Amino acid sequence: MKKRGVMTKRVFSAMRPTGRLHLGHYFGVLENLIKLGNDDDYECYYMSADLHALTTDYSDTSEIDKNTLDMVADWITVGIDPTRTVIFKQSKVPQHSELFLILSMLTPLKRLYRCPTYKEQLKEIKNKYLYNYGFLGYPVLMSADILLYKSDIVPVGEDQVSHLEFTREVARRFNSFYGEILVKPEGKLTETAKFLGLDGRKMSKSYNNSILLGEDDITLKAKVKNMFTDPLKIKKDDVGHPDGCVVFSFNKALNRDCKNREEECRTGKISCVSCKKQLVEVLSEFMKSLSEKRKDIISDKTHLKNIIEMGCQKATEIAQKTIEEIHKVLKF
Ligand code: SF4
């Protein structure tokens, strides 16, 4: 594990364990996590947010633990080094729930109703009942997660920027009552923070528009076939507009040859069918390199569980220190 120096900044990031990760995770957040994890100037805490998984999957929890292992295996596959980062799960560090409760007492309800992701998810997710106290309050739990570790930096996707601002507000409010205890974190956006899904909305499993890491060739082909393209480009000779095309957004992230694709599209030298065919090849190569590595990692479940167990111990040490400071200022 890395040694903490005076200038070391603490990084916190969490993901809900909802199964295999997708390309939106990879380009939205993971690239940042890998870079920070490998940099000696940062001490990184990466958490499987299994309590958060309950906000939508409360009626069936049978997959949550398996999903944590799958997710951690994906993290390690893409390059997160478990010997240099703390990987742990939220439910095994009970201080998260305690700080959530304390912060809930200070958080105005009307502020929670105003959260853009709350409104958006209520609108988009129709197959689950979400009018629960926990779902409304999940930004408070998210704030507790971040503030518990006195995190300096939180790598975020574009859609999470508002949550980070919320966390800063919660910290400010707490500190205004009890003194400067909580650290207001800064966000770190990746270049392709909002990665598009097959239908042009943000890539998300809830929207059923994602491409998973390690997807096989047949599935890739079927998914790319359904990707949204420029509706004005019907024939090969039609001049295309790559900026509004999902295929092109994938090319921008993954294809070294993307400049040529752009030029061919704009000048009517390529059809959408062959442009998609070439994208399938690029995706297939990318997935193959990951699949081989992942096979070895997921086959040793005991090792994965040990990594998480050790991470939980380390995370608990830090979390407990913060909770003790909070007890002191609350005069408990
Ligand atoms: Fe999109 Fe390619 Fe068709 Fe252009 S040629 S609109 S980039 S799929």
Side-chain angles (χ1 to χ4, degrees):
M1 208 55 69
K2 285 184 244 177
K3 285 237 171 348
R4 187 172 166 83
V6 207
M7 301 300 283
T8 308
K9 290 203 181 292
R10 188 170 289 156
V11 177
F12 176 87
S13 184
M15 282 188 195
R16 278 158 39 109
T18 52
R20 296 293 311 270
L21 299 180
H22 54 62
L23 286 173
H25 294 122
Y26 184 79
F27 290 107
V29 179
L30 285 173
E31 276 194 330
N32 246 343
L33 298 194
I34 298 162
K35 238 183 271 162
L36 293 165
N38 290 330
D39 188 328
D40 284 339
D41 291 340
Y42 300 98
E43 180 195 26
C44 299
Y45 288 74
Y46 298 156
M47 180 182 88
S48 168
D50 52 356
L51 291 175
H52 280 285
L54 289 180
T55 53
T56 50
D57 298 338
Y58 53 86
S59 60
D60 179 7
T61 59
S62 57
E63 293 290 299
I64 295 180
D65 217 38
K66 176 189 170 296
N67 286 345
T68 288
L69 286 188
D70 269 334
M71 185 172 76
V72 170
D74 277 343
W75 286 354
I76 298 172
T77 303
V78 296
I80 291 175
D81 181 349
T83 65
R84 292 167 66 82
T85 52
V86 179
I87 293 176
F88 69 104
K89 66 178 178 179
Q90 189 182 26
S91 60
K92 293 294 174 209
V93 183
Q95 290 82 354
H96 286 261
S97 304
E98 182 171 350
L99 187 54
F100 166 58
L101 179 73
I102 293 168
L103 297 178
S104 300
M105 304 296 176
L106 320 176
T107 308
L109 266 181
K110 63 176 187 215
R111 180 63 185 88
L112 287 169
Y113 283 120
R114 265 201 347 254
C115 280
T117 44
Y118 175 70
K119 291 190 225 157
E120 188 194 305
Q121 295 213 345
L122 281 184
K123 204 166 86 196
E124 300 285 353
I125 303 173
K126 295 287 179 215
N127 57 345
K128 284 173 186 162
Y129 182 81
L130 295 177
Y131 292 88
N132 296 325
Y133 166 64
F135 185 68
L136 176 67
Y138 85 85
V140 185
L141 180 55
M142 205 179 268
S143 302
D145 299 335
I146 295 167
L147 298 173
L148 197 52
Y149 298 93
K150 301 200 171 183
S151 317
D152 301 295
I153 290 173
V154 181
V156 282
E158 208 176 76
D159 55 323
Q160 293 162 320
V161 170
S162 63
H163 282 150
L164 198 65
E165 192 40 48
F166 179 89
T167 302
R168 292 167 56 81
E169 278 176 46
V170 170
R172 226 175 281 134
R173 196 165 160 79
F174 182 96
N175 290 349
S176 73
F177 293 131
Y178 307 113
E180 289 295 314
I181 299 288
L182 300 178
V183 172
K184 293 185 281 300
E186 298 296 332
K188 195 170 170 52
L189 263 184
T190 36
E191 230 175 87
T192 21
K194 187 169 178 179
F195 197 79
L196 296 184
L198 307 177
D199 56 3
R201 291 187 292 171
K202 180 198 139 199
M203 187 176 281
S204 162
K205 273 200 207 150
S206 320
Y207 302 162
N208 204 16
N209 66 358
S210 53
I211 292 189
L212 304 181
L213 295 180
E215 205 100 76
D216 64 52
D217 283 358
I218 297 173
T219 317
L220 283 177
K221 218 167 160 184
K223 288 192 170 177
V224 172
K225 196 172 160 210
N226 286 327
M227 270 182 192
F228 280 25
T229 58
D230 173 9
L232 298 175
K233 187 165 166 62
I234 317 284
K235 302 186 298 313
K236 179 183 168 189
D237 308 351
D238 291 338
V239 169
H241 306 87
D243 294 335
C245 170
V246 175
V247 177
F248 185 67
S249 74
F250 274 69
N251 269 324
K252 260 208 311 213
L254 281 151
N255 192 350
R256 270 186 245 117
D257 208 19
C258 120
K259 280 260 170 279
N260 284 339
R261 274 312 79 76
E262 183 175 6
E263 171 70 14
E264 287 166 352
C265 173
R266 288 192 194 282
T267 51
K269 289 199 180 105
I270 190 169
S271 69
C272 290
V273 174
S274 63
C275 187
K276 283 183 169 183
K277 215 166 138 196
Q278 291 180 30
L279 177 64
V280 171
E281 283 166 23
V282 172
L283 278 168
S284 166
E285 209 175 298
F286 178 75
M287 297 301 180
K288 262 183 207 124
S289 65
L290 295 181
S291 297
E292 311 224 324
K293 199 172 160 202
R294 190 180 190 278
K295 231 185 264 166
D296 292 337
I297 295 167
I298 195 70
S299 66
D300 193 350
K301 297 223 168 36
T302 311
H303 181 55
L304 278 176
K305 285 178 186 169
N306 283 342
I307 288 170
I308 297 169
E309 169 69 33
M310 275 168 52
C312 289
Q313 283 172 22
K314 174 79 184 150
T316 302
E317 278 171 32
I318 309 290
Q320 184 52 27
K321 268 190 204 152
T322 307
I323 285 292
E324 278 168 17
E325 275 182 67
I326 289 174
H327 278 198
K328 211 164 162 190
V329 295
L330 293 178
K331 312 212 183 310
F332 281 176

